[in-house]
Amino acid sequence: MMKPYDIAIIGGGVIGCSIARWVSKYRLKTILIEKHADVATETTKGNSAIIHAGYASSEGSLQSEMNVKGNPMFDQLQKEINFDFKRVGSFVVAFNDEDMKDLQKEQNQADKRNIPSEIITDIKRIKIMEPNIADNVKAVLYAPSAGIIWPFGLTIGLAENAYDNGVDLLFSSPVTEIQQKSNGFIIQAGQKQLNAKVIINAAGVYADEIARMVGADNFTITPRKGEYILMDRNAIPVNHILFPIPTPVSKGILVCPTIEGHTFIGPNSNAQNDKEDVSTTSAGLNEIIRGGRKLLPSIPLRKAIANFAGLRAVSDRDGDFIIEASEVENFINVAGICSPGLSSCLAIADLVTDIVKNHTTLSFGEKDSWNPIRFPQQRLKDMNEDTLAQAIKNRPEWGRVICRCETVTEAEIIDAIHRPIGATTLDMIKVRLRPRMGRCNGGFCTPKLLKILSRELDKLVTEIPKNDEGSEMVTDRTKFIENKPWKGETP
Amino acid sequence: MSEIIDTDIAIIGGGPAGLAAALNASKRGARVAIIERDFELGGILQQCIHNGFGLTYFKEELTGPEYAQRFMDLLKETNVQIFLDSMVIDLSADKIITAMNPERGILKIHAKAVILAMGCRERTRGAINVPGMRPAGIYTAGTAQRLINMEGYMPGKRVVILGSGDIGLIMARRLVLEGAKVLVVAEVLPYCSGLVRNFVQCLQDYDIPLYLSHTITDIKGKERVKSVIISKVDENWMPIKGTEKVYECDTVLFSVGLIPENEISLKAGIKLDITNGPTVNEYLETTVPGIFACGNVLQVHDLVDWVTLEAERAGENAYAYSTNTSRGGKLLEPILTVPGENVGYIVPQRIDYLQDSKIVQFSFRPKSPDKNCIIEFVSNEKVFDKRKAKHIIPSEMLIYKIKLNPEEIGEKITINIKKNLKKSKEEA
């Protein structure tokens, strides 16, 4: 039997990966177990990609505490592991006197939490800051510390840095059974059986099911679906995150820039039992279009690139986060991490590290060799012409653009395939470099990507999936052509 | 660090438009360079292995690759510079193209005139906001065409196609010939949006049903497409409850229109029209002097033959520009062309020169099908020319050469497609 792990983290979302990176500072043998082929494939994938200022969650909630603490932590982490993040500031938009009362309430909460904010009533100034905002705007609550982020870059960065610091990563391995023994747990994850002294359950919408395997399920998780429509770059300029006045269950349907220069509208908020159903619906899309148009009447729908949905993991404890040592010894629940979960992930990792310190017998000696710095792969978009010309001279693949919508070169794709968490699927390439995420929906680059993946991984093109097993992109060769890996030079 | 290349005319795109423009300009004596992103010339024609090309231009029926090859062969006789595997990443208003390729690195191509010939891309599922899951097995028809005809891979085995555009119809037949089952083609419009000959030869001949006024209202499946739901729509394209039909399938193709690909044009500050193509004058010149546009980057054509003819004009005009040939006096204010009754758009969008009478070619599309029509050319509230058209349909572009007389033309030219009431009465 292999030496048992000190910590097994179940779930490779932004929460699991934050925790993995945090505990990688210590001399602990840690593994992160993920059901899918990549990190950031469920809740982390389908959300608004916002780092909230932190005034919105209700007073006294763990959500509020984590968000307020977590927001300022992103600047330092950005320097260390390099991801796209920008504090563009948010507006809560008021249209009438009733709304003004809500704005005031929000601002009082911001003041109490020492979050910078300002109620702007000068319409001219609002229009300069946000030229396309609805004409009937009365005032906005401006919170400059709110930011937009690339959740995939953040999560992959955290996972890679954790890996660099000795954390094992296990992909495509759903946890199906956990047995509690006197000295820890035996975990069945895909084909593998693992021993771990401590389990951290960060399984998103499945956290209740994972907890149930050991009887630590004193809560349930209900998925709450949010639908989105993504607009093309420059479809309509939006400078700030635009919120309506929040409703009791959500922050409402917003209009928001993405860190890559696109604009999205959404999400709505509908509870469902199904933990897999991320389908969009006509009714839902119409709902977010109506909602978005209240803030920004001129949303050009013909510039839509994609619609998608994500599931929030909402707990039955007033919807608040559950971050605690469970009744089962050495089993820690990090559950119900819905909004503002992304904003809170770093504070949550800090808190979870403390809980493990205080509630288990693991010894937390710091590694001498811990390296907080993670270098991302080299990107065309960060190069000037001279560096690019030199790069092409050294390696011609830098000169071949594979994705024309997002301008991604063959060199970048090859690099993404051969990095530590190497891309083996189309979606893994997409979330690292953005091919298939742009306006052509992958129409032009998909055949090229399939061939490059086939060549680099020495696999058949028919074996290359979109994401998980069963999602292979092409089913067969056409008549009379032999099926073998593609080995050409010009994809 | 970049290589500087000097030329008279630089053409972005080596598809049918770029090829014809290059040949025409080169024939007149210009130094020409083509910048093509693919590994070979010919553009999308190379994946269109079906026949039906060239009936107008060559008076014979060719396949796409054959049609392209004719121009590529002629090009070999010229000294047109060809940059393959080369992506244009920038275009400035002073006509400097920045391109990159693996062999030569970064190229700065300085041209006296530029011809935009980048073609178009397919409208996607995302752009028309079809709801549902997002599993593997969802393709645009053109991508499926590339996979099958160029790469030799099957996108799937049981296929539903949304949209009766020409590529969708052609692909329905192609999939059947490769052994796949095509269950249905659904079209949101009340009429087929592809050419009649394609409807007959690709659907009818293979017993593939076409459901008009229908759309996809849901796509199911987690890893791979498992089924789609098709519903009937009302006149506002809204799905009608209770009309849902489920089709078990593993693949969905979208053939829902083409969009001129003008991201590069925008970098030069070129203004675009409702066509999504540049607004041009009667010389096919964009809003930036010396930058011309032709083919599908200007307006989506239904026949490649029209692309060739349009591109030849662009080649000729760009050559004239590069040699400072006078066009006569420029109007202080351009004469604008205005789509009137049942007209979707008009190319050119403006007339910049009209000292003396001259012939100008107008191309436009009706918004909806009709028969026994009169096409009116109106200016100063007077019909200055009119043509008869027996059948009109949005899938078939209308092209007319019209004489413009400065004395008859005011600030605008409006084109109307009107019902020929007399003729309709006679037929009734």
Side-chain angles (χ1 to χ4, degrees):
Chain A
M1 197 83 197
M2 262 178 66
K3 189 172 174 276
Y5 283 99
D6 293 313
I7 299 175
I9 301 163
I10 301 175
V14 72
I15 302 299
C17 291
S18 298
I19 297 167
R21 196 266 184 174
W22 248 244
V23 300
S24 75
K25 291 171 199 168
Y26 305 98
R27 286 197 296 272
L28 298 166
K29 193 169 147 65
T30 304
I31 186 167
L32 178 91
I33 305 168
E34 166 56 44
K35 176 170 57 168
H36 299 288
D38 195 6
V39 295
T41 50
E42 290 188 354
T43 297
T44 305
K45 179 185 179 185
N47 61 72
S48 303
I50 291 170
I51 303 306
H52 293 280
Y55 55 77
S57 301
S58 40
E59 190 61 28
S61 66
L62 192 50
Q63 285 172 329
S64 143
E65 186 190 331
M66 291 292 103
N67 190 351
V68 171
K69 190 179 158 209
N71 175 301
M73 295 170 78
F74 280 88
D75 302 289
Q76 177 63 28
L77 188 76
Q78 187 185 26
K79 285 183 200 131
E80 291 173 352
I81 66 170
N82 288 289
F83 50 86
D84 293 325
F85 166 61
K86 203 172 158 196
R87 295 189 188 274
V88 294
S90 64
F91 282 3
V92 181
V93 183
F95 294 106
N96 54 46
D97 293 341
E98 199 59 35
D99 292 351
M100 291 300 289
K101 284 184 210 154
D102 287 313
L103 276 202
Q104 197 53 61
K105 240 195 284 176
E106 301 257 356
Q107 191 183 32
N108 294 345
Q109 220 155 249
D111 289 347
K112 223 193 248 171
R113 296 174 193 174
N114 282 322
I115 297 164
S117 78
E118 181 190 356
I119 291 180
I120 306 175
T121 51
D122 176 355
I123 306 294
K124 221 189 225 163
R125 190 175 151 212
I126 295 172
K127 280 274 183 184
I128 290 169
M129 292 174 82
E130 203 59 76
N132 292 304
I133 201 166
D135 287 334
N136 57 339
V137 54
K138 196 171 154 84
V140 301
L141 174 68
Y142 174 45
S145 61
I148 53 178
I149 196 165
W150 181 236
F152 302 105
L154 168 67
T155 311
I156 292 164
L158 287 162
E160 281 188 357
N161 190 231
Y163 175 85
D164 288 345
N165 285 302
V167 173
D168 287 346
L169 307 170
L170 180 63
F171 290 105
S172 302
S173 303
V175 170
T176 48
E177 197 189 348
I178 303 171
Q179 293 173 45
Q180 200 187 356
K181 299 279 171 183
S182 57
N183 55 350
F185 302 93
I186 302 173
I187 304 165
Q188 187 68 45
Q191 303 299 315
K192 283 220 166 106
Q193 212 173 52
L194 307 162
N195 288 43
K197 293 177 191 160
V198 172
I199 290 179
I200 298 169
N201 171 19
V205 288
Y206 290 93
D208 52 351
E209 292 186 15
I210 294 292
R212 194 173 307 135
M213 292 177 187
V214 292
D217 55 325
N218 54 351
F219 62 90
T220 62
I221 300 295
T222 306
R224 191 173 267 283
K225 191 197 278 180
E227 294 167 75
Y228 294 89
I229 297 175
L230 183 71
M231 305 284 161
D232 201 354
R233 198 168 273 142
N234 307 327
I236 184 163
V238 178
N239 302 323
H240 304 82
I241 305 156
L242 305 182
F243 293 103
I245 301 293
T247 71
V249 290
S250 86
K251 297 184 179 68
I253 293 160
L254 43 140
V255 179
C256 183
T258 74
I259 193 80
E260 298 277 341
H262 299 74
T263 302
F264 74 78
I265 52 174
N268 52 1
S269 182
N270 292 306
Q272 63 183 37
N273 290 320
D274 195 321
K275 297 192 176 196
E276 310 254 287
D277 177 7
V278 286
S279 62
T280 52
T281 61
S282 303
L285 296 178
N286 286 330
E287 182 186 354
I288 60 174
I289 291 166
R290 275 197 307 275
R293 282 192 169 147
K294 282 184 198 155
L295 300 169
L296 210 73
S298 54
I299 293 168
L301 278 180
R302 53 199 290 248
K303 293 280 172 91
I305 290 181
N307 62 70
F308 62 93
L311 300 180
R312 307 169 181 89
V314 183
S315 80
D316 58 356
R317 292 202 202 154
D318 277 343
D320 201 0
F321 297 161
I322 300 169
I323 304 169
E324 61 193 23
S326 76
E327 289 157 16
V328 175
E329 209 179 344
N330 295 324
F331 190 95
I332 291 142
N333 280 319
V334 188
I337 313 298
C338 53
S339 180
L342 187 61
S343 318
S344 306
C345 64
L346 308 182
I348 292 174
D350 229 22
L351 175 61
V352 171
T353 307
D354 282 344
I355 292 172
V356 180
K357 272 184 194 168
N358 297 332
H359 288 82
T360 71
T361 55
L362 297 181
S363 67
F364 270 70
E366 286 188 22
K367 284 177 189 160
D368 304 324
S369 59
W370 188 68
N371 179 10
I373 307 297
R374 166 262 185 185
F375 291 103
Q377 73 172 91
Q378 208 181 356
R379 295 301 310 275
L380 174 72
K381 62 177 176 127
D382 302 325
M383 290 183 183
N384 62 32
E385 272 183 24
D386 287 347
T387 8
L388 176 60
Q390 194 53 50
I392 298 172
K393 215 176 218 179
N394 297 337
R395 202 174 152 208
E397 288 86 355
W398 275 109
R400 182 173 294 126
V401 175
I402 298 294
C403 163
R404 62 172 84 158
C405 303
E406 302 289 318
T407 323
V408 182
T409 64
E410 188 176 5
E412 293 168 277
I413 290 158
I414 294 170
D415 288 350
I417 294 170
H418 297 298
R419 273 185 79 84
I421 309 173
T424 54
T425 71
L426 287 182
D427 278 0
M428 288 179 83
I429 290 186
K430 170 163 120 176
V431 301
R432 281 158 181 76
L433 305 171
R434 301 190 55 85
R436 290 171 52 79
M437 211 172 248
R439 59 184 75 88
C440 88
N441 283 195
F444 290 113
C445 63
T446 298
K448 293 171 186 282
L449 295 173
L450 290 173
K451 288 194 281 187
I452 296 170
L453 278 162
S454 169
R455 179 184 66 199
E456 300 297 317
L457 300 170
D458 198 21
K459 277 181 159 183
L460 298 172
V461 171
T462 48
E463 291 171 338
I464 307 295
K466 178 173 185 288
N467 40 51
D468 295 314
E469 204 185 318
S471 69
E472 290 71 26
M473 291 294 289
V474 294
T475 52
D476 213 341
R477 295 232 63 159
T478 46
K479 290 171 184 168
F480 316 120
I481 303 181
E482 191 194 342
N483 202 4
K484 52 184 181 189
W486 186 78
K487 288 292 168 197
E489 277 179 14
T490 49
Chain B
M1 285 287 282
S2 53
E3 189 181 342
I4 292 175
I5 289 150
D6 223 28
T7 188
D8 295 334
I9 297 172
I11 301 175
I12 307 178
L19 288 170
L23 279 171
N24 194 291
S26 163
K27 180 177 84 184
R28 291 164 198 276
R31 293 175 303 153
V32 180
I34 299 179
I35 306 125
E36 165 56 44
R37 57 192 157 204
D38 213 331
F39 305 109
E40 61 179 347
L41 294 170
I44 294 300
L45 282 175
Q46 298 287 12
Q47 69 184 51
C48 300
I49 62 169
H50 53 282
N51 59 0
F53 300 91
L55 284 166
T56 306
Y57 192 79
F58 291 114
K59 312 284 180 230
E60 56 184 307
E61 198 168 27
L62 306 173
T63 66
E66 283 170 343
Y67 188 94
Q69 195 61 46
R70 297 229 170 163
F71 293 89
M72 288 157 65
D73 287 345
L74 289 172
L75 208 60
K76 281 187 200 138
E77 312 292 315
T78 69
N79 48 14
V80 171
Q81 263 186 298
I82 299 165
F83 299 93
L84 296 177
D85 199 6
S86 303
M87 183 68 85
V88 171
I89 49 177
D90 197 22
L91 168 66
S92 66
D94 52 359
K95 298 181 277 291
I96 299 171
I97 293 170
T98 308
M100 57 197 266
N101 79 22
E103 241 173 73
R104 297 169 75 161
I106 297 177
L107 308 169
K108 294 271 179 191
I109 299 161
H110 296 240
K112 290 180 190 156
V114 170
I115 301 177
L116 307 173
M118 292 90 78
C120 56
R121 63 167 177 272
E122 296 178 276
R123 187 169 285 123
T124 62
R125 178 226 182 148
I128 58 168
N129 261 315
V130 169
M133 293 284 277
R134 308 202 308 145
I138 300 169
Y139 287 102
T140 53
T143 302
Q145 187 177 46
R146 177 160 190 111
L147 281 169
I148 295 177
N149 294 348
M150 307 282 285
E151 316 292 351
Y153 288 98
M154 291 298 286
K157 295 184 169 109
R158 285 175 66 84
V159 187
V160 167
I161 300 176
L162 181 65
S164 59
D166 289 311
I167 314 167
L169 302 178
I170 296 282
M171 282 315 295
R173 176 176 66 183
R174 188 75 189 99
L175 282 156
V176 171
L177 293 176
E178 280 295 339
K181 172 89 184 148
V182 178
L183 303 171
V184 63
V185 177
E187 167 60 60
V188 75
L189 296 167
Y191 51 88
C192 180
S193 63
L195 298 172
V196 176
R197 70 170 195 222
N198 284 333
F199 166 65
V200 174
Q201 293 170 8
C202 300
L203 298 192
Q204 280 194 332
D205 288 357
Y206 293 85
D207 290 329
I208 299 167
L210 170 64
Y211 284 179
L212 298 174
S213 300
H214 277 74
T215 192
I216 294 180
T217 46
D218 201 2
I219 298 175
K220 293 183 190 290
K222 193 165 163 268
E223 286 84 21
R224 179 89 199 182
V225 174
K226 288 236 164 15
S227 64
V228 303
I229 295 180
I230 289 181
S231 306
K232 197 170 174 30
V233 298
D234 63 20
E235 57 272 23
N236 300 316
W237 298 7
M238 295 307 287
I240 301 168
K241 268 224 166 89
T243 61
E244 298 86 0
K245 289 193 197 83
V246 184
Y247 289 86
E248 311 272 331
C249 59
D250 62 13
T251 304
V252 190
L253 300 192
F254 284 84
S255 175
V256 289
L258 301 169
I259 303 169
E261 197 158 49
N262 277 288
E263 279 66 34
I264 292 290
S265 320
L266 291 172
K267 292 194 178 188
I270 288 167
K271 278 205 190 107
L272 303 186
D273 187 38
I274 45 167
T275 51
N276 286 311
T279 76
V280 292
N281 65 14
E282 70 275 30
Y283 292 92
L284 303 174
E285 188 182 32
T286 66
T287 50
V288 175
I291 301 185
F292 299 80
C294 59
N296 281 357
V297 81
L298 173 60
Q299 57 177 334
V300 175
H301 294 66
D302 34 271
L303 294 179
V304 70
D305 307 65
W306 299 129
V307 170
T308 301
L309 291 164
E310 187 173 87
E312 287 177 343
R313 285 170 54 213
E316 181 184 344
N317 296 336
Y319 171 76
Y321 181 91
S322 74
T323 51
N324 298 315
T325 309
S326 170
R327 296 170 181 169
K330 192 173 178 180
L331 297 168
L332 289 175
E333 286 293 326
I335 300 160
L336 302 178
T337 61
V338 184
E341 195 176 323
N342 199 19
V343 174
Y345 72 85
I346 304 168
V347 170
Q349 287 79 1
R350 64 178 199 278
I351 310 291
D352 274 342
Y353 302 84
L354 193 60
Q355 257 184 345
D356 307 307
S357 284
K358 68 175 185 183
I359 305 232
V360 170
Q361 178 167 317
F362 294 91
S363 45
F364 50 98
R365 282 177 193 273
K367 281 186 189 162
S368 54
D370 206 345
K371 51 185 182 179
N372 297 329
C373 297
I374 296 216
I375 297 165
E376 291 178 352
F377 296 81
V378 185
S379 197
N380 285 336
E381 290 168 27
K382 264 193 202 143
V383 178
F384 66 89
D385 204 344
K386 59 183 173 185
R387 302 295 162 93
K388 281 182 193 163
K390 208 162 165 40
H391 289 281
I392 55 156
I393 179 160
S395 60
E396 289 178 18
M397 183 189 283
L398 297 164
I399 300 177
Y400 293 99
K401 288 185 177 147
I402 300 293
K403 189 171 182 187
L404 302 185
N405 178 348
E407 272 148 40
E408 290 176 337
I409 306 295
E411 290 168 3
K412 288 177 197 164
I413 295 170
T414 304
I415 302 179
N416 297 314
I417 302 179
K418 289 191 167 163
K419 197 105 189 142
N420 185 349
L421 292 170
K422 201 171 130 201
K423 183 90 180 171
S424 300
K425 226 183 240 169
E426 274 171 28
E427 279 195 2

